Amino acid sequence: MTDHRIALLSSGHQDFVTGMVDLAVRGLPPAYEDGEFVFTRRARRELGGTWTAVPEGRSIRYAAIVALGVATLDEQRQRAALAGDDVHDLVGALVKRLPEVSGVGDAALICWAAAETGHADLGRALDRLDELDTAPHLHTVEAAWALAALVAARVGDARLERARARLLGGLAGNRLYPHALGDGPLVPRFRAHVGCFADQVYPLQALARLHAATGDDAALRAAEQVARGICAAQGPDGEWWWHYDARTGSVVEGFPVYSVHQLSMGPMALLDLADAGGTAYVAQIEKGLGWMMARPGFVRDDLALTWRKEARNDPRKLVRGLRAAATGVHRGLRLGVLDRLYPPVAVDRECRPYELGWLLYAWMTRSGQTS
C-alpha cells in the first residue's frame, strides 16, 4: 500500500483526522520563531473571556520531532508549516546545534530526522550520538529513540546490535517497559516497576521498525507483547492510560490522559507495527480517537492547537506517587479512595509543538513505508 494511513479508518474518523492534519499545519508556524521551535504555547484568557496562546521557551527536542512530522508533507505544505522554510532548513539548523546537545534522546531524534531527510551530515549526527550514548543505564524513551535513529540511518554494525540488545533486555521478565533500563539511579526505588505510556509506545515503534528493516523476529515478538499490553489496558472510552506496572501490565494510574497519546503516539506505534507485518489494531486506534472526538472543546480550531491533557487536580502529582508506592509494596493495590478525592476535572490548556509533529508523522507516513 502507498496510501496515507488515514485511509485505514472509517469515514467519520477519516474526516476527523484529516481535519487534525490541517490544524497541525496551521498550528506549527505560531510556535516557530527565528528558525527554532518554542517549548509550548500556553493559554491565556483575555478580558472578555477569549483565549490566546502565548509562546514560551525553546526546545531542540521538539524541533526534531516536528522535522520528522513535516518531512512527510509535500514541499508546499512543508513551507506552510514552517513559515516559508522547508524541512531541510530545519534539519540543517538542528545538525549545526549538535555540539550543544547533551542528551542521548535529543541527539537520537536529530539523527533520525537527518536520516529520513537524507541530510549530508548524517554521519556527524551519528558520531555525536555515539559520543553521548555511553552510560550503563538510560531512560527507556531515549533508548527507543536511539534504536529508531540507527534503523532509519540503516546502521548495521555493533551500534545497532547494542541498541537492540538494550531495548529487548529491558522487557525481560516484564509484561511492559519500566521507565529506565540498566542499573543506575535514574528512577527512585519505590517507582522502579512503573512505566508510562511513552515508555511503551516508543519501544514498540522502534522494535517494529527494526523488524521491518531487518526481519528481526525477536523484535517483532517484543513489539507485539507491548501492543497487546497497552490495548488490553485501554480504557472504556478509548483512553490510553498513563502509568503501568511493568511487571504485570496493569494500570497503576490512568490520569492524565493526553491528547497527543490519543491522536498521535498510540496510532503511530500501532500503525508501525501493522506496517511491519504485525497485528493491525485499527479498532483500538479508532476507539482512542473517539476519546478526542467526544471532547470537541479540546480541539481549538481558532488557535490551531489542542489542549494538552485531562488530569486530576491533585497537589504535586500525589495520586501517581501514592499508587506507585502502593503497587511497589503489593501488586494490584490501587487505593481506590483517591479516585473520589481527586477526580479528573482539570484541563491543561497548552500545546507543545511535538504534539503536532507526531500527529503529522503518525498519519502522513505512507502505509508500508516505515523503514
Side-chain angles (χ1 to χ4, degrees):
M1 289 181 64
T2 58
D3 290 335
H4 293 302
R5 293 160 159 190
I6 298 172
L8 299 172
L9 303 174
S10 63
S11 59
H13 292 91
Q14 284 188 30
D15 292 343
F16 175 69
V17 173
T18 298
M20 293 307 306
V21 168
D22 292 341
L23 179 143
V25 172
R26 291 187 292 109
L28 287 171
Y32 192 49
E33 297 183 343
D34 302 321
E36 298 181 289
F37 272 94
V38 301
F39 177 78
T40 194
R41 295 172 64 205
R42 194 176 304 280
R44 183 172 67 194
R45 198 158 201 169
E46 305 292 346
L47 293 175
T50 60
W51 291 98
T52 58
V54 181
E56 295 180 1
R58 293 287 189 275
S59 177
I60 290 176
R61 172 172 295 192
Y62 294 171
I65 293 172
V66 169
L68 285 165
V70 172
T72 65
L73 303 175
D74 60 41
E75 183 177 356
Q76 182 179 358
R77 294 190 94 185
Q78 284 183 23
R79 294 192 182 277
L82 297 177
D85 290 344
D86 67 14
V87 73
H88 300 288
D89 298 319
L90 178 57
V91 173
L94 289 167
V95 169
K96 287 179 181 177
R97 297 186 65 182
L98 277 168
E100 67 188 81
V101 170
S102 59
V104 171
D106 292 3
L109 286 167
I110 294 173
C111 280
W112 188 355
E116 294 216 353
T117 57
H119 195 277
D121 283 333
L122 172 59
R124 179 182 165 196
L126 287 167
D127 288 343
R128 184 60 176 153
L129 178 59
D130 289 343
E131 292 171 3
L132 293 170
D133 191 5
T134 59
H137 49 269
L138 195 63
H139 285 112
T140 302
V141 166
E142 293 187 301
W145 286 342
L147 179 59
L150 295 171
V151 170
R154 303 186 183 278
V155 171
D157 56 22
R159 291 173 293 180
L160 182 70
E161 179 53 37
R162 174 175 175 263
R164 170 191 180 274
R166 178 172 58 194
L167 206 57
L168 288 176
L171 199 58
N174 290 321
R175 296 284 183 88
L176 294 174
Y177 276 98
H179 191 57
L181 307 180
D183 297 323
L186 291 176
V187 178
R189 182 179 295 273
F190 80 91
R191 57 154 298 173
H193 63 290
V194 176
C196 68
F197 188 68
D199 295 324
Q200 316 314 321
V201 295
Y202 292 126
L204 163 54
Q205 177 183 41
L207 292 166
R209 286 172 171 255
L210 177 62
H211 174 75
T214 68
D216 189 323
D217 289 336
L220 181 61
R221 287 194 298 272
E224 290 275 17
Q225 177 178 322
V226 175
R228 284 195 302 273
I230 61 172
C231 288
Q234 189 177 23
D237 295 322
E239 301 95 338
W240 295 118
W241 297 125
W242 185 216
H243 279 166
Y244 304 82
D245 188 326
R247 302 164 302 182
T248 66
S250 62
V251 176
V252 171
E253 164 55 3
F255 291 93
V257 176
Y258 288 84
S259 297
V260 68
H261 295 170
Q262 306 297 131
L263 287 172
S264 311
M265 287 168 53
M268 176 176 71
L270 293 172
L271 289 168
D272 275 359
L273 176 63
D275 278 354
T279 304
Y281 287 98
V282 177
Q284 289 81 1
I285 291 168
E286 290 189 340
K287 191 175 180 181
L289 292 172
W291 186 91
M292 284 293 296
M293 295 168 72
R295 288 162 176 78
F298 265 59
V299 179
R300 294 300 302 249
D301 193 68
D302 55 332
L303 300 174
L305 52 72
T306 58
W307 294 144
R308 180 165 166 76
K309 64 179 184 278
E310 182 178 272
R312 301 187 192 277
N313 196 17
D314 54 332
R316 301 177 64 84
K317 304 177 183 178
L318 177 66
V319 174
R320 279 177 275 176
L322 289 175
R323 284 185 165 158
T327 52
V329 173
H330 188 281
R331 298 185 186 193
L333 183 60
R334 280 193 44 79
L335 305 177
V337 68
L338 296 174
D339 290 323
R340 297 189 295 275
L341 291 174
Y342 301 106
V345 296
V347 176
D348 185 0
R349 291 182 172 87
E350 64 171 307
C351 183
R352 301 183 183 182
Y354 86 94
E355 298 167 7
L356 304 182
W358 280 145
L359 195 155
L360 295 175
Y361 198 65
W363 295 107
M364 299 307 288
T365 295
R366 293 183 181 274
S367 294
Q369 295 183 6
T370 59
S371 62

